[in-house]
Structures are given as C-alpha cells and as structure tokens.
Amino acid sequence: MDLENQKRVKEFTEEYGAENIVVLLGAAEGEASGLAAETVTAGDPTFAGPLTGVSLGLKVYHVCEPEIKELIDEAVYEEQISMMEMVLDVDDIISEMTAIRDEFCKY
C-alpha cells in the first residue's frame, strides 16, 4: 500500500472512527493483499509509511471474497470484476485475508 493511501486510511480512521471503516482491496495476489491488509490492521510492516507502528485493527476484505461479492450488484460484478476473478488464485487470497483478519482485526 503506497504512502498516500496509508495517509488517507489514517485520516479517515481519525475522522470517522476505526469501528466505522472497512478497507476493500483488489490486489491480484494473496501476498500483496496480505501485505496491504496487514498494513491497515497491524501497521506498516515495511516501516516506511504513516501507518508504521500504528495498529488500526480495521476490517479489511478483498473484492473477490464471498462476503463482499454478495453485496455487489451481480451485473456490476460481472462487468467490472469477474474477468479478473477468473485469473486470480481466489482461494489463496481468501486464505491470506482470513489469516490477517483473524490475527489483527479488532472490529
């Protein structure tokens, strides 16, 4: 997650409260999704950005996870996401996201 997005997440969390924030990711790999998820839950593991040492514990999901997929209009999902989903290792992404949520999410 780049430094500008870390800054935005931190500002939104301060403004609206961590319990009211859900971060939605769309990275193409489980490892990249996990790194971004860890950043918004436990703090920036690269020690480079505004979330270094900041444990927000935010709820975080990938757009291809069933919990999110069911919330999106079927036609919109088909048009915007389904092609990407066909080439992703969705099981790996779900596994990575679940592990991060189980370990670090507070809400």
Side-chain angles (χ1 to χ4, degrees), residues 6 34-36 38-40 42-48 51-52:
Q6 286 190 40
L35 184 61
E38 185 175 347
T39 299
V40 300
D44 184 358
T46 68
F47 301 101
L51 293 179
T52 296

Side-chain angles (χ1 to χ4, degrees), residues 36-106:
E38 185 175 347
T39 299
V40 300
T41 56
D44 184 358
T46 68
F47 301 101
L51 293 179
T52 296
V54 179
S55 178
L56 298 176
L58 300 178
K59 289 178 250 178
V60 60
Y61 294 89
H62 190 280
V63 70
C64 291
E65 289 188 90
E67 301 93 319
I68 300 303
K69 186 175 178 178
E70 70 184 26
L71 298 173
I72 300 172
D73 179 272
E74 201 172 305
V76 173
Y77 195 91
E78 180 66 31
E79 180 182 323
Q80 300 293 324
I81 302 169
S82 65
M83 289 292 283
M84 177 181 76
E85 185 181 32
M86 289 192 294
V87 298
L88 298 179
D89 184 347
V90 175
D91 291 336
D92 181 51
I93 291 170
I94 290 171
S95 175
E96 186 75 25
M97 298 300 293
T98 301
I100 295 293
R101 279 194 303 272
D102 288 348
E103 186 171 353
F104 300 116
C105 281
K106 298 176 186 174

